[in-house]
Amino acid sequence: NDTFGHAAGDKLLKSVAERLRSFEASDVQLARLAGDEFAVLATGRSARDLHAIEALAHGIVEALASPFTIEGIRLTVSVSIGIAIAPQDGCQEIMRRADLALYRMKSEGRNGYRFYEAEMDERIEARRALTADLRGALDRDEFILYFQPIVAAQECRVRGFEALLRWKHPVRGFVSPGEFIPLAEETGVIIPLGEWILREACRIAAGWPGDVRIAVNLSPRQFRHSDLTQLVRSALRTSGLAAARLELEVTESVFLEATPAINATLSKLREMGVRLSLDDFGTGYSSLSYLRRIAFDKIKIDQSFVRDLPQERSAAAIVNAIIDMATSLDMTITAEGVETDAQRVCLLEQGCHEFQGYLFSKPLPAEQAAALARS
Ligand code: C2E
Ligand code: CA
Ligand code: CA
Ligand code: CA
């Protein structure tokens, strides 16, 4: 729809429906559900004869594999099919379960079919339980911030720390942010949680010597559903931290919805004297246009590139290109995930300004970070 307009999108879906119609038979019924979703109801096949069911699914994928020509433009579509069988997968729940299988198929890369398995429901249940725990965790003081040093490349002196969130779950122990941050995003818990993170990070950093910086991660949702500038202003005022000591890290995913409001928020934050970092650079949506619209102070090279240095040529070439570009835009360049001295030397030679990684230090509890900041 974005590229060809609504009418063309509609024509494409009609052509898809047309091809699907060739599967219609006395025992195969078709329905268009909503948008680009279709339902196929096949009866009379025995659940023991999975081959017959697979053959139908396979046939549909094949039938839609060849390109469509819409208004003179060749288009290919990918097909994801989820399959649930009655009565073994339940009768009431057959559509919901086919849907679960469909979403699993989509997340596994599309263009194929997937049978429903009980494990899919178990995973949903586990997520639901974790979400319920997450909602109460803030009130129960189960979150804690760790701080990982960011060092100046030349003299290896600590310039600042990145605040990294940890969740001490009463039963499960430490839960990784990679697991619960996406969940907190989806459920909206990130709004109160993000506020806590920012206030806590500023409070702790205000106790460090005057030139040591604190970097705080922001989630895309914090831009859309809260008055971020107001929050940042309040966190700075309450803690007494100078704006210039606060760095806010955002990933490219913030620009997925490139609304003027997001640009305005980022500009306002910069005007307040807060520094902006572009996190995980190179892994995102590779549209460089936002670098022209928003003046970032810093770019963080993602650890996936650093990991393959110095041996892998493609990683070295990408890092080289990022550093060249960032240098010409006057940005500070930080490399993340530096684990070996060979990586450090390679990045230093290429012109990187700051390092962060296990070679220097793992994320530390607040007291240890404070001691390091003062040393
Ligand atoms: P990130 O912002 O890219 O953070 C860097 C991650 O790399 C951290 O993982 C850090 O512990 C890890 N790391 C640092 N040095 C090394 C190294 O040398 N080798 C390797 N293999 N890893 C290293 P962590 O703490 O598990 O955080 C994962 C992600 O969760 C973060 O990625 C960030 O996206 C998110 N996250 C963490 N804390 C927060 C937070 O307070 N707010 C938000 N919105 N997201 C957070
Ligand atoms: Ca869809
Ligand atoms: Ca980060
Ligand atoms: Ca990062």
Side-chain angles (χ1 to χ4, degrees), residues 162 217 249 251 279-281 300-303 336 356:
E162 177 176 0
N217 292 285
E249 298 195 1
T251 60
D279 200 4
D280 300 345
F281 190 73
K300 296 187 85 172
I301 301 177
D302 190 63
Q303 55 189 57
E336 296 188 301
Q356 182 180 354

Side-chain angles (χ1 to χ4, degrees), residues 259-275:
T259 64
I262 288 174
N263 294 350
T265 303
L266 288 171
S267 300
K268 244 190 262 165
L269 289 168
R270 265 202 111 221
E271 281 162 27
M272 286 164 55
V274 172
R275 297 162 57 90

